[in-house]
Amino acid sequence: MSRPFTAEHLRRWEAPVVPAWVYRGVLVVGWCVAFGYAVSIPVTCTPASPCLPDPGFSVAMALVLATPVLLWREPVLGCCAGALFGLLEVVFEEHDGIRLAFLVHGLACAVVALWLVEARRAQHRVFGEVSAVVTVPRPLPPRFTGRSLVAGVMLVVGVLAFVRYGVVASSLADHEAEAVEVHARVLSVDEYAVKVALPTGERTFSVLSPDAYGVGKSVPVRTDGEWAELVSEPEDVTFPLTVMAVSLGMAVFLRMRDVAARRAAQRVLFGPTQAVEVLVRADLRGRAVLHTVDGKPFGSMPVSARFEDDRMLAVGDLSYGGWVVLVTPDGALLPTRPLRPHRRVLPNFDDPGEELLGVALEVPPLPMPVEPAERDVRAGRWLFLAAVVFTVGAAFLDGPAVLTVLWTGGTCAVVGWLRGRPAAHFHHDHVSIRSWLRTYHVPWSEITSIRRTGDRLVLELESGTRFTLAPSRRDVTELGAIARRLHDLSPHGGEVTSRPGGALPVGLWFLLVAGAILWLT
């Protein structure tokens, strides 16, 4: 007989959890500080001490670029990546300041990784105490192959990148073997570029240390006909190695995820296993959100099939980062990702909520924006500020780091726009509702129910479609009364339409900005 997972059990189970601000805040900020310090150190390249390409460092760059992403999405792996790169920097980095910065960050990552692992073990011990041993023989769910297909594509990309590096490096070695050294006069020095005069004509080279060159100065150059390179800064063709390392790392990660999901199902569906009874509900993206039996959410994960909200058995490793299989009377839901924290209360569509029947005596001037809550406005401003900082910072970087910084800036811009803008606008005959990618035009006459669920206003159509508005500055009862008044006064007729909108224009605008930065840098 299974045991229900209650709020009291949840309190004990969540007690050892590592706060998200530790790895998503402190460690990510620490990475930004260490990385920013490293790229700000001026580089000096001379013929006596040239800046030679380093294939090993190009491979290791995959670790440093993946660290902030993994810290946000997969904290244990992110901590391991940060700790490993810190160790590599201690061993191979020559600059004392950079070595110290990544040493401190690597040590912090190692401590948090141990903390996360121990917290998971503690959660599993609590789960063992509150669970019951049951036997749940069920047919094995269909295998989730999408991730393996993506892993195969990443494997091909990694192999092609390695082949590309081999071809370019071989051609470069042939040129260097045939090249002769000549002296060229510097004609101009730009930001990270110099123009020199060679016997065969003028050439422009990208450089790391423009301060090492002066107009009119003579610099040694290797040349082989049309090919040439600076002796102090030989051509770097190791970028494909970074692409290879990132692609192969993603391929291994995705494939191991698929295998782990399959093995989790095999472990728990064939023999006695520990289980508790939880309430499972689907969020707007179809993910399974686990609640205690008295309705408090605590974790979420995507699963392999659609399901109806109901009580289910959670079997397996019930811990953040563990694989949990959900067993229903008819079958089992295989997780496609480990369990993650989830503390946002979902609108309960099974509960009709409180129907708002009150009518506002006066209607505000129209159109009336449904202004977001003050906390969302503040979050939107901070996210926009972060987007500006990341975008401006990308203009001063070079190499693969630019893509990582621009991606982060674009994400901040899109999320900041969504959180800081009104979720809807009330008009006299319709309500305009904004989603991620579209804006919906919903006539008031098509709305059959206006009710409250928590601090959110739910508008339901006769077809069963529901629109849930984000929390607003106005009290939800007052907002519902205004909506009811507009509904009663609106003319009949019209249909629901939609058009591209939401955050799509912001995303497209940022793509143009990112493209300009990549083009100019």
Side-chain angles (χ1 to χ4, degrees):
M1 186 67 180
S2 61
R3 296 178 181 174
F5 193 62
T6 65
E8 176 60 25
H9 296 150
L10 178 63
R11 184 188 63 79
R12 294 173 52 202
W13 184 81
E14 283 191 326
V17 171
V18 180
W21 59 264
V22 173
Y23 48 86
R24 286 188 171 185
V26 175
L27 291 186
V28 172
V29 171
W31 178 90
C32 293
V33 172
F35 186 80
Y37 174 74
V39 299
S40 68
I41 299 297
V43 179
T44 302
C45 307
T46 64
S49 179
C51 297
L52 300 176
D54 188 350
F57 179 76
S58 296
V59 173
M61 274 297 294
L63 285 175
V64 72
L65 295 178
T67 296
V69 178
L70 290 175
L71 284 173
W72 193 265
R73 301 289 295 179
E74 305 292 338
V76 175
L77 285 178
C79 289
C80 292
L84 179 57
F85 187 79
L87 177 61
L88 294 176
E89 285 292 275
V90 170
V91 175
F92 297 105
E93 178 59 50
E94 297 179 355
H95 191 278
D96 292 338
I98 298 177
R99 185 164 60 244
L100 178 61
F102 280 103
L103 170 62
V104 173
H105 184 259
L107 289 176
C109 286
V111 171
V112 175
L114 294 175
W115 187 5
L116 287 166
V117 172
E118 181 54 36
R120 178 176 172 181
R121 290 177 177 174
Q123 284 188 305
H124 198 265
R125 287 194 295 268
V126 174
F127 173 58
E129 295 172 1
V130 302
S131 63
V133 177
V134 297
T135 301
V136 285
R138 294 287 187 276
L140 198 62
R143 189 168 187 176
F144 182 77
T145 58
R147 204 156 34 205
S148 291
L149 292 177
V150 176
V153 173
M154 291 293 100
L155 178 62
V156 172
V157 171
V159 171
L160 291 178
F162 180 74
V163 172
R164 169 69 176 171
Y165 168 73
V167 171
V168 175
S170 176
S171 175
L172 180 62
D174 292 340
H175 282 300
E176 290 179 341
E178 298 294 332
V180 295
E181 186 173 314
V182 299
H183 282 77
R185 183 169 57 87
V186 177
L187 299 178
S188 64
V189 179
D190 298 325
E191 187 177 13
Y192 301 110
V194 297
K195 180 186 290 186
V196 301
L198 290 169
T200 57
E202 297 180 355
R203 295 291 299 270
T204 300
F205 298 100
S206 298
V207 295
L208 296 173
S209 57
D211 295 339
Y213 306 90
V215 176
K217 187 177 179 180
S218 178
V219 294
V221 177
R222 296 191 189 96
T223 180
D224 175 21
E226 295 297 324
W227 176 86
E229 69 176 6
L230 293 170
V231 173
S232 57
E233 297 190 43
E235 185 178 355
D236 189 354
V237 296
T238 60
F239 177 68
L241 291 179
T242 302
V243 176
M244 177 202 71
V246 171
S247 300
L248 294 182
M250 289 182 62
V252 172
F253 171 75
L254 293 173
R255 178 55 185 164
M256 293 303 294
R257 265 292 167 83
D258 211 1
V259 172
R262 186 70 173 182
R263 289 180 176 175
Q266 291 174 340
R267 284 195 302 268
V268 303
L269 297 180
F270 299 100
T273 184
Q274 293 175 320
V276 292
E277 186 177 358
V278 296
L279 173 64
V280 182
R281 298 178 58 202
D283 64 6
L284 297 178
R285 297 170 59 183
R287 296 174 299 184
V289 180
L290 277 62
H291 300 65
T292 61
V293 291
D294 37 9
K296 186 174 182 180
F298 63 89
S300 68
M301 60 187 183
V303 291
S304 56
R306 294 184 177 274
F307 62 93
E308 296 293 333
D309 296 355
D310 200 355
R311 287 196 178 193
M312 304 180 189
L313 289 181
V315 299
D317 180 9
L318 187 66
S319 62
Y320 291 142
W323 293 91
V324 181
V325 177
L326 300 175
V327 179
T328 67
D330 302 324
L333 299 174
L334 181 65
T336 60
R337 195 189 65 197
L339 187 70
R340 289 180 179 170
H342 184 98
R343 297 180 177 86
R344 183 179 299 174
V345 177
L346 300 179
N348 190 352
F349 296 131
D350 291 334
D351 180 2
E354 178 186 353
E355 188 73 22
L356 299 177
L357 301 177
V359 178
L361 297 179
E362 295 183 2
V363 176
L366 300 177
M368 185 197 82
V370 181
E371 296 290 352
E374 186 62 32
R375 65 177 184 274
D376 290 328
V377 174
R378 290 195 299 269
R381 291 172 180 171
W382 281 107
L383 286 167
F384 262 120
L385 178 60
V388 172
V389 172
F390 281 116
T391 305
V392 173
F396 297 94
L397 300 178
D398 195 13
V402 177
L403 298 177
T404 302
V405 174
L406 286 177
W407 175 268
T408 306
T411 302
C412 290
V414 170
V415 177
W417 173 268
L418 287 170
R419 294 198 64 174
R421 301 291 297 172
H425 285 79
F426 287 0
H427 299 261
H428 75 282
D429 60 344
H430 73 279
V431 55
S432 178
I433 303 175
R434 175 178 51 79
S435 69
W436 276 86
L437 297 178
R438 304 194 69 83
T439 299
Y440 294 87
H441 181 286
V442 183
W444 288 112
S445 59
E446 293 295 307
I447 297 175
T448 58
S449 176
I450 301 173
R451 62 177 184 268
R452 174 177 63 186
T453 301
D455 58 352
R456 297 172 181 266
L457 185 68
V458 179
L459 307 177
E460 184 172 354
L461 310 186
E462 186 176 1
S463 62
T465 303
R466 297 181 180 92
F467 294 97
T468 303
L469 306 187
S472 169
R473 294 183 188 179
R474 290 180 181 269
D475 180 75
V476 66
T477 303
E478 177 188 359
L479 191 63
I482 295 173
R484 176 68 63 181
R485 179 67 171 172
L486 292 173
H487 174 271
D488 294 342
L489 296 176
S490 68
H492 291 281
E495 60 181 13
V496 179
T497 59
S498 67
R499 58 179 174 81
L504 185 60
V506 178
L508 295 177
W509 173 83
F510 194 87
L511 284 177
L512 293 176
V513 174
I517 291 176
L518 293 174
W519 178 268
L520 296 175
T521 57

